[in-house]
Amino acid sequence: FTFRHLTRMADIPREEWMRVYDGATENFDYFSACEEVPPVAFQYSAIGIFRDDKLMAGTPIFKTRFDPGVVLDGPVKTIYNGIATVIPAIGNVPIVGLGSPHSQEPTIAFDPTLSEAERQQALECLIAGLDSVAASVGARLTLLKDVGDQFQGWAHQGLEAAGYANLTALPVATLSVPESEEA
């Protein structure tokens, strides 16, 4: 597998993305639309994982800046805030994230014909690609946003080996839509 940093998802034909997203609701169309209207402090691009010029996996990625103080509390936050007043740059850390700030769903797509071992190899290549993009833009932190439970079984060990830890996010509320007007 090889990776390519794509300026935008449309650098690869829609049909290739739709094949790897394999029926997902949030797919090429959704993420391409999001690329057109990024939040003010964000820049979007994508990573594609290829085998013989065929897209085998991919995901949108984003670049922004992050203030670590937003996830701290108690005495650690007090110490951090004190240091941040002397060294303001620590409150403005450049990051590259795999995923989309517009989504609460997993954004990594894999060709459905890949075996579990091949998905693991593609994921390793994707993480190496993310690290390469981060190094090229001077990001000091990488993250994988909304990896999702569907990857935990087979990807957990590889993600942990790459230095990633699982953090629980805020719950997402859902509302079931009745099947008919009567319901």
Side-chain angles (χ1 to χ4, degrees), residues 42-98:
F42 287 76
Q43 295 173 335
Y44 292 154
S45 58
I47 290 180
I49 304 302
F50 297 85
R51 183 191 298 158
D52 301 325
D53 288 328
K54 182 178 180 184
L55 183 67
M56 302 306 288
T59 185
I61 62 173
F62 61 92
K63 180 183 163 201
T64 191
R65 295 187 170 271
F66 176 70
D67 179 0
V70 301
V71 297
L72 303 173
D73 62 8
V76 174
K77 184 169 187 146
T78 303
I79 293 168
Y80 170 82
N81 287 339
I83 295 170
T85 59
V86 178
I87 309 170
I90 68 167
N92 196 16
V93 178
I95 68 168
V96 172
L98 180 151

Side-chain angles (χ1 to χ4, degrees), residues 15-171:
E15 299 76 33
E16 287 291 298
W17 285 108
M18 296 306 281
R19 182 179 50 75
V20 297
Y21 273 107
D22 192 34
T25 304
E26 293 179 356
N27 56 37
F28 172 84
D29 295 328
Y30 178 75
F31 296 125
S32 291
C34 292
E35 285 178 343
E36 298 298 319
V37 287
V40 175
F42 287 76
Q43 295 173 335
Y44 292 154
S45 58
I47 290 180
I49 304 302
F50 297 85
R51 183 191 298 158
D52 301 325
D53 288 328
K54 182 178 180 184
L55 183 67
M56 302 306 288
T59 185
I61 62 173
F62 61 92
K63 180 183 163 201
T64 191
R65 295 187 170 271
F66 176 70
D67 179 0
V70 301
V71 297
L72 303 173
D73 62 8
V76 174
K77 184 169 187 146
T78 303
I79 293 168
Y80 170 82
N81 287 339
I83 295 170
T85 59
V86 178
I87 309 170
I90 68 167
N92 196 16
V93 178
I95 68 168
V96 172
L98 180 151
S100 171
H102 297 289
S103 180
Q104 300 301 319
E105 297 293 320
T107 59
I108 306 171
F110 293 93
D111 184 304
T113 65
L114 291 177
S115 69
E116 186 174 314
E118 290 171 318
R119 282 194 316 262
Q120 185 66 42
Q121 291 171 345
L123 180 63
E124 289 170 10
C125 187
L126 195 135
I127 290 170
L130 182 66
D131 290 343
S132 176
V133 170
S136 73
V137 299
R140 297 191 318 239
L141 179 68
T142 61
L143 63 93
L144 282 66
K145 183 181 179 299
D146 299 315
V147 173
D149 293 337
Q150 69 192 41
F151 298 112
Q152 287 304 313
W154 65 268
H156 177 75
Q157 191 172 18
L159 292 172
E160 197 172 75
Y164 290 94
N166 188 23
L167 299 174
T168 303
L170 295 172

